[in-house]
Amino acid sequence: MAIIIDGKKVAAEIREELKLKIADFKNKTGKVPGLVAILVGNNPASEVYVSSKSRACEELGMTSKVEKFPSEIREEELIQCVTRYNEDENFHGILVQLPLPSHINEQKIIETILPSKDVDGFHPVNVGNLVIGKETFYPCTPYGIVELLKRYSIETKGKHVVVVGRSNIVGKPIANMLLQKKEGANAIVTICHSAAKDLSRYTKDADILIAAIGKENFITADMVKEDVVVIDVGINRIEDKNSKKGYKIVGDVKFDEVEKKASYITPVPGGVGPMTIAMLLTNTFSAFKKFLEKNKII
Ligand code: NAP
């Protein structure tokens, strides 16, 4: 039976650590980190994400603001809003909740955010810095995965990490992060995607398997080797007549059978998910600290 990687517990620890640091900085400087979330339209999932992000900020003593716009907003207005927060010294992190309506060029909006306030780590400057191994804001979900591996003392050096999924927000950044020649990384990395003809050929060789596919119960026990470390990023909603909501959330990995073969595994929910917000708060705190240093406040 695998050791269950408890993302909820680790995320709570990270938040507690941040809370203490924020209180300390407030005492010394009178300032606190600020995060603004920009939300366009009324996608229910986006609304839930944004409200949990802003609640998390407030619990830690950060300033938090949500800028809400109707889905018809013009691109120019959105750019003006981002520009305003680029200049606002009370907000150190800006996040634009994706996806945006189709008439808005998402990439253009992301590129309007100052790289020093891009706490989601999606700006091309930050992506480039990640690839060449320079200090940057790591995208929150991959950052959460690296932190989980670190806090569970799971060795990555020389290990074969197989990432299934090549999205810009999970697959590509986690592969690049684990590839870096430094502590907590230094892995041999394979990235798979939907063009793989025989996915098992790759997954069976993984010491660490990261599934970021978006297909429920896709990775089965016959696709992994004994003692594999499994990180399940997937969040899939499936019908569940026994639950009040009528659905439940499952990952990309068939947990019950893979757990019997794995040495470590993240559950869904309660694995990678809670880490994403914890790392967003971590990035916002880092942006705040850099702002204080740059302005010689500390
Ligand atoms: P995405 O953009 O849809 O990417 C999915 C990737 O899986 C693509 O690269 C796709 O290949 C690959 N794929 C699909 N079918 C495949 C197959 N049969 N064999 C091999 N590869 C296949 O998704 P994403 O944004 O990375 O998210 C992935 C999952 O993680 C989703 O369930 C999402 O909800 C979840 N997620 C969770 C968090 C969190 O906080 N825990 C954060 C972000 C995302 P192609 O590139 O060839 O299409």
Side-chain angles (χ1 to χ4, degrees), residues 49 122 140-142 145 163-172 191-197 199 203 211-216 218-219 223 232-237 250-252 268 271-277:
Y49 288 142
F122 295 157
C140 304
T141 302
I145 296 172
V163 180
V164 188
R166 58 173 160 187
S167 71
N168 289 338
I169 62 166
V170 190
K172 281 184 201 150
I191 311 180
C192 300
H193 45 75
S194 67
K197 285 204 178 73
L199 191 63
T203 56
I213 311 161
K215 288 188 175 160
E216 76 235 28
F218 188 82
I219 302 289
M223 294 171 77
D232 189 353
V233 186
I235 299 180
N236 308 292
R237 202 185 256 208
V250 298
D252 290 345
V268 178
V272 175
M275 291 299 288
T276 299
I277 294 188

Side-chain angles (χ1 to χ4, degrees), residues 244-298:
K244 262 193 208 157
K245 295 177 190 156
Y247 68 86
K248 65 174 178 179
I249 301 293
V250 298
D252 290 345
V253 176
K254 208 162 189 183
F255 185 87
D256 294 348
E257 56 179 64
V258 175
E259 180 209 15
K260 296 192 179 84
K261 251 177 137 175
S263 54
Y264 291 85
I265 190 166
T266 59
V268 178
V272 175
M275 291 299 288
T276 299
I277 294 188
M279 302 329 284
L280 172 74
L281 301 167
T282 302
N283 278 347
T284 306
F285 179 71
S286 301
F288 166 68
K289 238 177 93 186
K290 283 197 190 104
F291 165 82
L292 296 180
E293 281 160 9
K294 193 172 160 218
N295 290 283
K296 303 198 170 21
I297 298 170
I298 52 165

